[in-house]
Amino acid sequence: MSMDSSTRAQIERFYDGTLLPDEMVATMSTDGGWFPSRTIARASTPSVLKRSGQALPPLAIQDHGTSFDLYDYLSVNRVAGLMVLRDGEVVQESYSLGIGPQTMWNSCSLAKSVAATLVGIALREGAIASLDDPVTRYAPLGGVYAQVSIRQLLRMASGIRWREAYTDPTSDRRQLLDIQMQWQKGGIARHMAGLPAETAPGQSWTYNTGESYLVSAVMEGATGTNLADYLSTRLWSRMGAEADATWWSESPDGMTVSGSGMHATMRDYARFGQFVLDGGRIGGETLLPEGWTGEAGSPFPIGDTLIPYGYMWWIPVLDDPALKGTFQAEGIYGQYIHINPQKRLVVVVLSARSKPSYRQRLEINDDAFFAALARAL
């Protein structure tokens, strides 16, 4: 199926970082039908997000040699939604830029952390025997991936040569987008399997969205279920989600695009974060393997270098003691699900910033904001 030229142009502007501010909000807050999608069913009875008796104290965010407050952060960083949970209770919930509690917001790469968490559930259920299994035990992937383990895939340590540059039409990331816009079943896996190796698996790390898409292929082979459907039955409906979510597919009958394209409400992103903070527990049942959260949210070594990345979760790089043990899902244009186990915090930030990467923007450091929250609470 071919994509019309106006839709293609809008997608390219999104990745180029050339949408006007209002266009960016409109693009993030609606699933524009760029790609086929599946519905992820909400819970029959949503879980209650209790209000905390504690208000958010004044913040002192230290960045650029200046102390900023909450209102600086929300304004400068074009934050559309902010939610702070402490011990599962709502300390802060605010909406701006025209969105509200029912708005379905584009996850961008927050979806990667959701997909990786589903791998943990499949491991607990026995659908995946071991993270050290080759990915080809579950998915017929060729090329370099014949030597790559599931653990290496989750850490993006396959050794594949890759350049993740959103605004450069010649980058690997944009070539992958071109493949995705063709809506061809199996097209993504075929493209990834044809890429060259830069090092042996496990010997290098490169952030690679294409790698995250292959999680879907592995999970389909392991569970016999489309990844979006697996999320619906195993987690979304059980954790008390109050709204249906959607997730893009590579074609109408193809695999879920597991590295991006999920759309959900801020409250449900927060419920997912709380599930992770709680070690995968829902009521009296534990859905994740013992120790999964600590492992998924920890850096790993390659030689003498500690990589600030877990199982598709980022480890904050700001050197601040308040961030010790924290990890976060991150998405382009300023999307975050921040987890602080010591302080029992879950923080969701939904933003509509000017460019995909923080390296191309002027803003208040998000890690500094999370550190300030930890100190205040």
Side-chain angles (χ1 to χ4, degrees):
M1 183 179 294
S2 61
M3 177 180 289
D4 66 76
S5 58
S6 62
T7 301
R8 178 180 289 270
Q10 186 187 23
I11 295 172
E12 289 173 348
R13 287 183 65 209
F14 176 72
Y15 283 93
D16 286 341
T18 58
L19 293 175
L20 295 171
D22 285 352
E23 290 181 302
M24 176 56 67
V25 174
T27 298
M28 292 298 295
S29 59
T30 55
D31 185 346
W34 290 352
F35 303 102
S37 65
R38 288 176 179 253
T39 298
I40 300 158
R42 64 186 182 275
S44 54
T45 304
S47 62
V48 176
L49 290 173
K50 297 179 182 177
R51 300 285 156 178
S52 171
Q54 178 184 14
L56 187 65
L59 299 183
I61 307 166
Q62 306 300 325
D63 188 33
H64 294 84
T66 304
S67 182
F68 298 100
D69 63 16
L70 171 66
Y71 308 98
D72 297 322
Y73 176 75
L74 296 176
S75 177
V76 171
N77 287 22
R78 284 190 56 79
V79 175
L82 171 64
M83 192 159 195
V84 180
L85 302 183
R86 188 182 186 202
D87 286 323
E89 296 183 346
V90 180
V91 177
Q92 176 81 13
E93 181 180 7
S94 61
Y95 300 91
S96 301
L97 306 180
I99 82 163
Q102 286 76 46
T103 299
M104 308 293 291
W105 195 262
N106 189 342
S107 66
C108 300
S109 289
L110 303 184
K112 293 177 171 65
S113 304
V114 175
T117 302
L118 295 176
V119 173
I121 294 176
L123 185 65
R124 169 86 180 198
E125 289 183 343
I128 290 174
S130 169
L131 293 187
D132 295 316
D133 282 346
V135 295
T136 49
R137 176 172 175 176
Y138 304 96
L141 298 171
V144 174
Y145 288 100
Q147 310 299 323
V148 174
S149 70
I150 295 174
R151 193 185 310 275
Q152 289 165 341
L153 189 73
L154 291 176
R155 287 175 167 169
M156 298 188 181
S158 67
I160 291 289
R161 191 176 72 205
W162 185 268
R163 189 163 62 91
E164 184 94 358
Y166 301 95
T167 58
D168 181 353
T170 68
S171 73
D172 292 290
R173 178 65 187 92
R174 291 293 292 269
Q175 290 176 32
L176 177 68
L177 179 65
D178 288 341
I179 297 294
Q180 190 179 339
M181 287 194 289
Q182 295 174 19
W183 287 26
Q184 289 185 358
K185 185 174 183 178
I188 291 171
R190 285 192 297 272
H191 174 73
M192 294 300 297
L195 295 175
E198 190 166 58
T199 70
Q203 298 303 304
S204 62
W205 177 84
T206 302
Y207 185 76
N208 181 336
T209 287
E211 210 97 288
S212 71
Y213 286 6
L214 297 181
V215 170
S216 191
V218 171
M219 285 290 288
E220 275 194 17
T223 67
T225 304
N226 181 281
L227 189 71
D229 296 339
Y230 190 79
L231 170 61
S232 182
T233 59
R234 295 307 198 278
L235 179 55
W236 207 250
S237 59
R238 297 167 75 181
M239 74 178 190
E242 66 184 60
D244 290 347
T246 61
W247 206 339
W248 289 340
S249 300
E250 70 168 350
S251 66
D253 60 344
M255 71 177 190
T256 298
V257 180
S258 45
S260 63
M262 184 181 170
H263 292 72
T265 67
M266 182 166 70
R267 288 175 176 173
D268 287 339
Y269 286 130
R271 286 181 172 96
F272 168 72
Q274 188 66 41
F275 168 78
V276 173
L277 178 64
D278 289 339
R281 290 187 299 278
I282 297 177
E285 188 176 6
T286 301
L287 304 186
L288 290 171
E290 185 176 352
W292 174 270
T293 299
E295 195 174 301
S298 294
F300 71 98
I302 293 181
D304 296 330
T305 303
L306 199 60
I307 308 299
Y309 201 68
Y311 296 157
M312 297 193 178
W313 292 89
W314 289 92
I315 288 75
V317 295
L318 182 66
D319 186 15
D320 190 312
L323 295 175
K324 183 178 181 181
T326 67
F327 56 98
Q328 56 210 27
E330 298 184 14
I332 57 173
Y333 290 107
Q335 322 314 318
Y336 289 91
I337 303 174
H338 175 80
I339 312 286
N340 185 327
Q342 290 189 343
K343 288 297 186 86
R344 297 286 301 164
L345 295 178
V346 173
V347 186
V348 180
V349 177
L350 307 179
S351 308
R353 302 183 191 175
S354 60
K355 288 289 186 290
S357 171
Y358 72 91
R359 293 182 177 90
Q360 298 169 295
R361 306 184 300 243
L362 288 171
E363 63 192 16
I364 296 171
N365 185 282
D366 293 285
D367 290 347
F369 168 68
F370 298 134
L373 271 177
R375 282 191 289 270
L377 293 170

